[in-house]
Amino acid sequence: MIARDRHAAEVRRLLGVFPVVALVGARQVGKSTLAREVAASIGGSVRSFDLESDRDLALLARAEAILSPLRGIVVIDEVQRLPSVFPSLRPLA
């Protein structure tokens, strides 16, 4: 695995300032791995959704109902597959 200490530190810093942080970039460069590493390093409650999974995609079709009770770190992988989730994130954040 490629060490991304500088990137992980920057994501942690941003999470200390902003309630939502997006990792964007080309395919297959390690965004999902970085998100998992950062979430694990922060500890506490972590809930992950992978929108390449039909189950998670169906769950987040009701994003506000599913996300509103969650606390801690929430990772939504492949979020671009469900653009309708974005309006729900703002009031939850």
Side-chain angles (χ1 to χ4, degrees):
M1 187 174 344
I2 298 170
R4 293 182 175 88
D5 298 334
R6 187 176 51 107
H7 293 97
E10 180 65 5
V11 172
R12 282 191 294 276
R13 184 190 74 74
L14 290 168
L15 284 169
V17 176
F18 302 104
V20 176
V21 174
L23 302 178
V24 296
R27 293 184 49 78
Q28 302 292 313
V29 296
K31 297 178 302 291
S32 300
T33 301
L34 178 62
R36 284 192 301 272
E37 288 175 2
V38 168
S41 74
I42 291 173
S45 176
V46 177
R47 178 63 163 95
S48 294
F49 298 91
D50 181 352
L51 297 188
E52 287 189 340
S53 155
D54 289 339
R55 180 183 172 275
D56 286 354
L57 192 60
L59 276 173
L60 287 189
R62 301 179 20 241
E64 197 160 340
I66 297 301
L67 297 174
S68 64
L70 300 180
R71 298 293 175 260
I73 300 291
V74 176
V75 176
I76 305 174
D77 198 10
E78 300 296 336
V79 70
Q80 75 280 358
R81 294 195 69 211
L82 189 66
S84 62
V85 77
F86 290 106
S88 299
L89 293 177
R90 185 170 182 237
L92 294 174

